[in-house]
Each structure stands twice: as C-alpha cells, then as structure tokens.
Amino acid sequence: MKRALVSVSDKTNLVPFVKGLVENGFEIVSTGGTKKVLDDAGINTISIEDVTHFPEILDGRVKTLNPYVHGGLLARRELPEHMKTLEKLNITPIDLVCVNLYPFKETIEKPDVKLADAIENIDIGGPSMVRSAAKNYRDVTIVVDQNDYDHVLGEFKENGTTTLETRSKLATKAFRHTAAYDALISQYLTKENGLEDPEKLTLTWDLKETMRYGENSHQKAWLYQDALPKSFSILSAKQLHGKKLSYNNIKDADEALRCIREFDEPAVVAMKHMNPCGIGRGETLEQAWDRAYAADTVSIFGGVIALNRKVDLATAQKMHKIFLEIIIAPGFDDDAYEILAKKKNIRLLSLDFSKKDEPTKHEVVSVMGGMLMQEQDTIKEDYHDWKCVTDVQPTEEQLKTLMFAWKAVKHAKSNAIVLANDERTLGVGEGQPNRIDSLKIAVKHAGDDIDERTVMASDAFFPFGDCVEYAGKHGIKAVVQPGGSIRDQESIDMANKYGIAMVTTGVRHFRH
C-alpha cells in the first residue's frame, strides 16, 4: 500500500483530495488539526505519533522532525542499501506529501500583529517535509498547491502513479513555495530589526498575470504583485470596464497614481508616456477636469486620467467626448459609469483613495545584472520652510501656486520644468538633455496663457542663469527650485534683474 503524509494549514478542498488518494490505494498519515478534519469526514488516518513513536512536544513545535518521517521521504528507492536501511529500522516509505505551511503571511498582514504571534507562525516541520519530498522527487510526489489536487488525482487514477515530469514540476514549485515563505520571514524580521541594507536581499512576488506582450509586441512580459499587496496600487484597483491593461498601461497608470496622491483638493491628472501632460485642480471635479484638459488639449488624447474624487455625470460627459485609455478614480456615479462604459475599450478602474498615504517605503528597478532599491520620493514639504533668495518676496498666493507647480514637477522626467498658475499646469517640459530646452518646451506649450499669475518650478537647480533669464523674458513672476549650484548667484542675479521672486527648497526631485 502507498503512503501519503497530509498536514495542511489551509484545508480548502482537502477532504475530496484525500478521499481520492484513499480510492487510489493510499493509507493516510496525518497530524493535529488536519487529522481531526479527515477523521470527522470518515477517512481513516494514522496518527503521526504512531509513525514516529514519539509524542508531539513543545506545543506542537516538534512533531514531524523525525527519522521515521524524513527517512521515509529521502530514501532512494533504486538504491538497495537505502531500502535495506528502511527495512532494518522499520521505516515505511512515504510516496506523497501534501503540505501547506503555517499562515505567516496572513499573520503579518494583520494591522495589530505582535512579534510573538509572527514568530509562532513560522513553520519549521512543514518546510522540512516539503524540501525532503521535493529533493527526492524521483520517488515522491510533493503537493503544496490546491490547484494541483485534480491533476495529481487524475494521474493516479489513470496510471497508478504520477509521471516523473509531473513530480519534477511539483518539486520545482515546492522549492519556490518554501523560498517565498522564507523571503517573507526574512523581510519581516529585517524590518523589525530596522535594517536598511542587509547583506542579502530576499524579495518575493506572486504572478498576477501573463501579459500579451511588454513595451513592444516582440517582448514577452509578466505582471507580478508584491506578496504583501499595497492598497493604493494599480494592482489593487478593481477594473469595472474595458479590455485588459497592457504593460505600458500599467506603467502609465502607476505614474498617474503617484502624481494624484500629491493633491487633497479636487484634482485631475492626465498622464501620457509616464509624464503629466496636464494637471488641474478646482472647487469641483468638473472644474479640475476642465483645467487639466485645457493644459494640453492635444497630448491628453489617448491619455491615462486619474481623478481623486468619485466621477460625476458632468465630468463623465466631458471625458466621454475624447479618446482616453484609462480612467482611475475612487468610484463612479451610476449615470457617469453608464455614459463612459458606452466606449467598449476604455478601461474604468476604481481604487480606495483613503489609503493613498499608506507607507510604501521602498521601490526597486532593474539594471542589467542587478537592481537598484531606494526609498520612494514621498517627502512632505511645507512652503513655509522654503528660503527666498531674491530681493522680491513671493506673495502668499504665489507660494501656494509654487507648491502646486512643485508637486507637479516631481512627476515629470528630468530635466523637468513646469509652468503653472493657481488652477492648472500651463506647460510641461521634460526629459531633455538640458534644462533650457525643457523650459522652451514648457513656454511653447503655455503660449499666451502666461500672465501675472504664472510661476515656474524646476526639479533641480539651475547650473547657469540662462533659464531664469528666459523665464523673465517670457513673463514668469515667481520661481521655485532646489538651489545648491555653485552658480546659484548667477540665477539669483538674473531673477533680481527681471523682478522675479525666487525660492529654494533644498530638496531635489529628479525622476529618471
């Protein structure tokens, strides 16, 4: 008779699976709560103590760490000396292991989790059995995923055993399973100990979707989600309508969310190729939309729109008039959704914006042969902390507008320049090899909308006085920039020449 060892934390679909094993000639060895569930279902089981000849001890911390278990798992059936050893020691081979692990992830996701609770949910015996079975996959079937129950039963029913190919794939999955489990433990304890630069970095993600293609149609792509999902993330959004998001859609939508979380007042962000082409704010969402649209009526075509208020009918009617790829908002009024959903392919997504200020400390990007990790640029700034470096002092209204422009320029690719008034961005210049070209692009976009209210934000300092001079010649009245250049005085002198109020923040917002 074949022998299976079954010990699971998540008992979903367990009973029909084990019944199937029994029907295919297995005797069942089980532990603790798993055994009780199987016994209650009328399935005869062998207690683990009857196998190990040793009781569970230390509140269940030790029950399967025993040669009668691991000998039965690791013995190579094709080696006569291994089988003679089992016979001599009266160890029964174990042919199948069905194990899933203590709920460590579910435990640490609880908002009030204590360290002691997390520690008690670190499984020791489970991963040991999984690894032993997976190592000896030529003889042992290891099952860690409920999605494999039916396939495994099907092979036993058809062939009396599983194929070597199946056992190899299941073993590979098992090692991924334990590796991800250990990665979460490592991440949690590293954070608990306040370590920011551990000598080894172990991260884990779960496959959410195999994508049609990546940035271009010839590139394969996969979407993975953090094993501990973040609430304010495009991956946590609920898609209400439209076709699946593409690789580029997700990147644009992520950038739109990063930008929209800067604003508390009704605001609309239009994102295009990971750069804001228009940001508007107002007393109502409709007013904010009007202003975002007016910021760049050309580039917004095919854009990704993020709104920080529930979409109402008036706003929806205006958005419906142009082609948009994605609309992300906290929700949609029924009549607003109805009109937007008339377009078959537009993606409508809802997301809980109450979580926008949740800590999301680190982000990683890949480079060839490695990766970079950094803290996210989520610093909270107050314009009262800025320093005025010019003869002309900015007014309170100018400072508020400068803060709006400063929040916007954070999300444009360097070298970035934003021209804005108190209602919206007027012109955005980004991604140029030099700052003066970005400024020229921003001024061109703003055109005749530049007036007494117009301010300029630069994501990094001015290396020369040319940008401030160009701004002064085009009517800019106030400037915010980090400062810190060895040539700061050239820009200060130029600002004084044109009567510009200029403040420095001491903080740079490069976005590469």
Side-chain angles (χ1 to χ4, degrees):
M1 178 172 282
K2 299 186 288 286
R3 173 171 281 192
L5 195 160
V6 182
S7 180
V8 295
S9 174
D10 185 347
K11 298 172 179 60
T12 306
N13 298 325
L14 174 67
V15 170
F17 177 61
V18 176
K19 283 184 176 179
L21 292 177
V22 172
E23 290 170 1
N24 283 278
F26 278 88
E27 63 178 4
I28 308 299
V29 177
S30 194
T31 66
T34 303
K35 185 178 189 310
K36 184 178 185 308
V37 169
L38 297 177
D39 289 346
D40 290 346
I43 300 172
N44 291 326
T45 60
I46 301 169
S47 172
I48 192 67
E49 292 95 331
D50 293 336
V51 172
T52 63
H53 311 297
F54 204 90
E56 293 187 18
I57 62 172
L58 307 179
D59 300 318
R61 281 190 167 199
V62 179
K63 52 192 173 189
T64 59
L65 296 170
N66 187 285
Y68 281 96
V69 173
H70 289 274
L73 290 173
L74 287 165
R76 293 172 60 182
R77 311 306 198 254
E78 81 279 10
L79 296 181
E81 59 268 33
H82 278 207
M83 301 312 292
K84 285 179 182 178
T85 299
L86 293 192
E87 185 177 359
K88 177 181 177 182
L89 297 175
N90 198 27
I91 297 174
T92 302
I94 298 172
D95 305 289
L96 180 143
V97 172
C98 178
V99 168
N100 56 54
L101 309 177
Y102 290 176
F104 182 79
K105 172 182 173 179
E106 292 78 5
T107 300
I108 63 174
E109 283 183 316
K110 296 176 182 176
D112 56 348
V113 63
K114 301 292 191 296
L115 176 61
D117 293 331
I119 295 296
E120 284 308 305
N121 279 280
I122 296 176
D123 202 332
I124 302 300
S128 298
M129 289 188 291
V130 169
R131 290 172 63 84
S132 290
K135 177 175 179 175
N136 202 25
Y137 71 88
R138 297 191 68 85
D139 300 309
V140 181
T141 302
I142 173 64
V143 183
V144 296
D145 186 349
Q146 300 152 17
N147 292 321
D148 295 318
Y149 286 178
D150 289 344
H151 180 74
V152 168
L153 285 179
E155 289 199 0
F156 276 117
K157 184 176 180 179
E158 183 175 346
N159 306 315
T161 185
T162 50
T163 65
L164 180 60
E165 180 184 9
T166 291
R167 292 196 298 276
S168 177
K169 289 180 178 178
L170 292 174
T172 306
K173 177 183 282 191
F175 281 117
R176 290 196 300 269
H177 184 64
T178 56
Y181 192 78
D182 285 341
L184 282 179
I185 296 169
S186 170
Q187 284 179 245
Y188 175 78
L189 294 178
T190 298
K191 181 180 178 182
E192 281 293 306
N193 283 281
L195 299 177
E196 293 192 334
D197 55 351
E199 77 289 346
K200 299 287 186 182
L201 182 65
T202 50
L203 304 174
T204 181
W205 292 271
D206 297 326
L207 180 64
K208 188 175 178 69
E209 181 183 334
T210 298
M211 313 200 76
R212 289 177 58 205
Y213 54 84
E215 280 184 302
N216 300 288
S217 60
H218 62 275
Q219 294 172 270
K220 293 182 179 179
W222 301 265
L223 175 61
Y224 284 85
Q225 184 171 25
D226 196 317
L228 299 173
K230 304 297 184 292
S231 298
F232 192 72
S233 161
I234 187 61
L235 304 189
S236 296
K238 181 179 180 182
Q239 185 161 351
L240 307 175
H241 177 77
K243 59 185 180 181
K244 289 169 60 174
L245 299 182
S246 70
Y247 182 99
N248 293 332
N249 288 155
I250 289 171
K251 293 191 72 174
D252 281 334
D254 176 68
E255 196 60 48
L257 289 179
R258 289 171 185 260
C259 187
I260 196 68
R261 70 179 171 183
E262 299 279 356
F263 306 100
D264 296 318
E265 69 274 30
V268 175
V269 170
M271 194 66 59
K272 192 73 172 290
H273 301 308
M274 295 187 69
N275 279 301
C277 59
I279 303 174
R281 61 179 179 174
E283 295 181 6
T284 66
L285 192 66
E286 181 186 5
Q287 190 177 56
W289 162 259
D290 288 341
R291 292 169 176 175
Y293 176 73
D296 191 337
T297 59
V298 175
S299 298
I300 200 172
F301 183 86
V304 173
I305 309 300
L307 312 95
N308 63 359
R309 295 292 190 275
K310 192 175 185 180
V311 178
D312 55 66
L313 178 60
T315 306
Q317 287 173 327
K318 291 182 176 179
M319 289 194 290
H320 180 68
K321 293 178 180 178
I322 65 171
F323 168 62
L324 299 172
E325 287 274 7
I326 303 171
I327 300 174
I328 316 168
F332 298 81
D333 287 342
D334 290 344
D335 49 5
Y337 175 82
E338 184 178 351
I339 191 169
L340 291 170
K342 288 180 179 178
K343 291 186 176 180
K344 179 181 177 181
N345 291 327
I346 190 171
R347 290 88 158 182
L348 304 178
L349 292 89
S350 65
L351 184 63
D352 183 1
F353 272 60
S354 70
K355 306 294 186 180
K356 73 181 182 71
D357 294 321
E358 257 186 347
T360 51
K361 192 172 184 182
H362 294 111
E363 59 187 3
V364 297
V365 295
S366 64
V367 295
M368 288 189 292
M371 73 165 197
L372 294 167
M373 183 172 76
Q374 67 172 353
E375 292 182 340
Q376 285 197 22
D377 186 4
T378 56
I379 185 173
K380 299 294 184 183
E381 297 173 80
D382 186 335
Y383 61 75
H384 293 102
D385 298 328
W386 293 347
K387 179 183 178 182
C388 180
V389 293
T390 51
D391 296 337
V392 177
Q393 300 285 313
T395 66
E396 185 73 10
E397 286 305 309
Q398 282 179 321
L399 284 169
K400 291 177 181 178
T401 303
L402 287 167
M403 178 57 81
F404 172 66
W406 188 238
K407 290 179 177 180
V409 82
K410 281 177 65 173
H411 300 279
K413 294 299 174 75
S414 302
N415 291 306
I417 295 288
V418 165
L419 304 184
N421 58 27
D422 57 334
E423 299 174 349
R424 64 177 176 87
T425 56
L426 301 174
V428 181
E430 68 275 292
Q432 301 304 305
N434 62 73
R435 196 161 296 278
I436 188 67
D437 280 349
S438 290
L439 174 56
K440 290 176 180 178
I441 291 170
V443 168
K444 181 180 179 181
H445 281 176
D448 295 337
D449 290 327
I450 296 175
D451 60 20
E452 292 293 319
R453 297 181 301 161
T454 303
V455 305
M456 178 173 78
S458 173
D459 67 339
F461 61 61
F462 300 116
F464 308 102
D466 54 353
C467 284
V468 179
E469 181 177 27
Y470 194 87
K473 288 180 177 179
H474 287 83
I476 307 300
K477 300 302 181 184
V479 173
V480 58
Q481 54 115 343
S485 168
I486 60 173
R487 296 174 177 267
D488 269 353
Q489 194 59 48
E490 290 184 23
S491 295
I492 294 169
D493 292 343
M494 199 62 69
N496 287 330
K497 176 180 176 180
Y498 285 92
I500 296 172
M502 186 161 69
V503 294
T504 58
T505 66
V507 177
R508 186 182 72 185
H509 289 304
F510 266 149
R511 191 152 185 79
H512 281 281

